[in-house]
Amino acid sequence: DIQMTQSPSSLSASVGDRVTITCRASQGISNYLAWYQQKPGKVPKLLIYAASTLQSGVPSRFSGSGSGTDFTLTISSLQPEDVATYYCQKYNSAPHSFGQGTKLEIK
Amino acid sequence: EVQLVESGGGLVQPGRSLRLSCAASGFTFDDYAMHWVRQAPGKGLEWVSGISWNSGSTGYADSVKGRFTISRDNAKNSLYLQMNSLRAEDTALYYCARRGLYRYSAFDIWGQGTMVTVSS
């Protein structure tokens, strides 16, 4: 099975910073890569699908890039409401594995 | 309003069974593939199982294969997860999720989850 590895596992940044989270697949998955945001005690929310397509209603400071095995999620200007854990997910074929998560905090 | 509502969770002893349900509303249920995702307390997301729109294709995580069975009833707009031979490590919040319609669509709608606790 394809493994999804995120880095870093945790991250502390200041408001206004540019933040980047990476996700690596152990084999190529084309563009079948999604990013989710989960705030404490809340349901996961789809941010980006097809590696770089912003889900409707998601602020434009979020962006995604990559293809094949290496992907990134970027927050262009970190806001206090972005405190959350972020997960990548492959969904080209089962199992639709998630990365282990990146916990983002405000410095 | 597009909505998924899970039910059926609870406290169950190891080795016993439980059946989860997910009621869908606000969209044409039988157009969509559906999935179960779980999250153990304090842990990350784990994909559990998925089923195509017409039940023609199903998939399972290795951790549940042979013990869990996913099914759906399109006439009732409902998704199910039959969980047998439950183990302590199956303790988690179980979410149902909808996969969008198009080729590159991901899991765009999630329920609030139902908690399953496996303990003696």
Side-chain angles (χ1 to χ4, degrees):
Chain A
D1 291 346
I2 298 174
Q3 307 302 316
M4 305 301 292
T5 304
Q6 282 181 240
S7 61
S9 296
S10 63
L11 175 58
S12 182
S14 300
V15 172
D17 281 356
R18 182 181 183 89
V19 171
T20 298
I21 298 169
T22 65
C23 179
R24 175 164 288 178
S26 59
Q27 297 176 42
I29 57 171
S30 182
N31 286 354
Y32 290 94
L33 191 282
W35 291 96
Y36 300 87
Q37 175 193 64
Q38 187 178 33
K39 296 183 177 182
K42 300 297 185 182
V43 175
K45 173 187 174 182
L46 177 63
L47 294 178
I48 287 169
Y49 62 96
S52 60
T53 303
L54 202 64
Q55 175 71 353
S56 176
V58 174
S60 59
R61 64 180 180 273
F62 291 92
S63 65
S65 65
S67 181
T69 60
D70 294 303
F71 303 87
T72 59
L73 172 70
T74 299
I75 307 173
S76 61
S77 178
L78 185 66
Q79 300 302 304
E81 60 266 31
D82 300 335
V83 169
T85 300
Y86 293 84
Y87 296 91
C88 64
Q89 182 203 22
K90 64 167 281 289
Y91 57 96
N92 57 319
S93 62
H96 300 302
S97 308
F98 290 88
Q100 80 277 17
T102 296
K103 187 174 183 179
L104 176 58
E105 298 175 330
I106 299 292
K107 194 180 293 183
Chain B
E1 180 190 5
V2 174
Q3 198 171 9
L4 297 171
V5 179
E6 302 93 336
S7 61
L11 175 62
V12 61
Q13 292 179 328
R16 303 299 291 264
S17 298
L18 207 58
R19 188 197 197 203
L20 305 184
S21 299
C22 171
S25 60
F27 64 98
T28 305
F29 180 71
D30 52 13
D31 279 347
Y32 292 84
M34 298 294 297
H35 296 262
W36 289 98
V37 176
R38 69 185 181 184
Q39 187 168 35
K43 302 298 184 181
L45 301 174
E46 180 187 15
W47 177 82
V48 173
S49 183
I51 187 167
S52 62
W53 65 276
N54 64 351
S55 304
S57 175
T58 60
Y60 299 91
D62 286 346
S63 58
V64 307
K65 201 171 293 183
R67 300 188 298 123
F68 290 12
T69 302
I70 192 171
S71 63
R72 64 190 296 161
D73 185 337
N74 287 344
K76 295 182 177 180
N77 290 341
S78 293
L79 175 72
Y80 306 102
L81 186 67
Q82 178 67 43
M83 304 186 296
N84 298 332
S85 303
L86 281 162
R87 306 168 180 168
E89 54 265 36
D90 296 319
T91 294
L93 184 63
Y94 284 73
Y95 296 104
C96 67
R98 183 186 86 171
R99 179 167 176 177
L101 273 179
Y102 306 107
R103 180 181 177 188
Y104 284 98
S105 296
F107 295 10
D108 60 352
I109 302 295
W110 295 62
Q112 292 296 313
T114 187
M115 187 68 201
V116 173
T117 303
V118 183
S119 175
S120 55

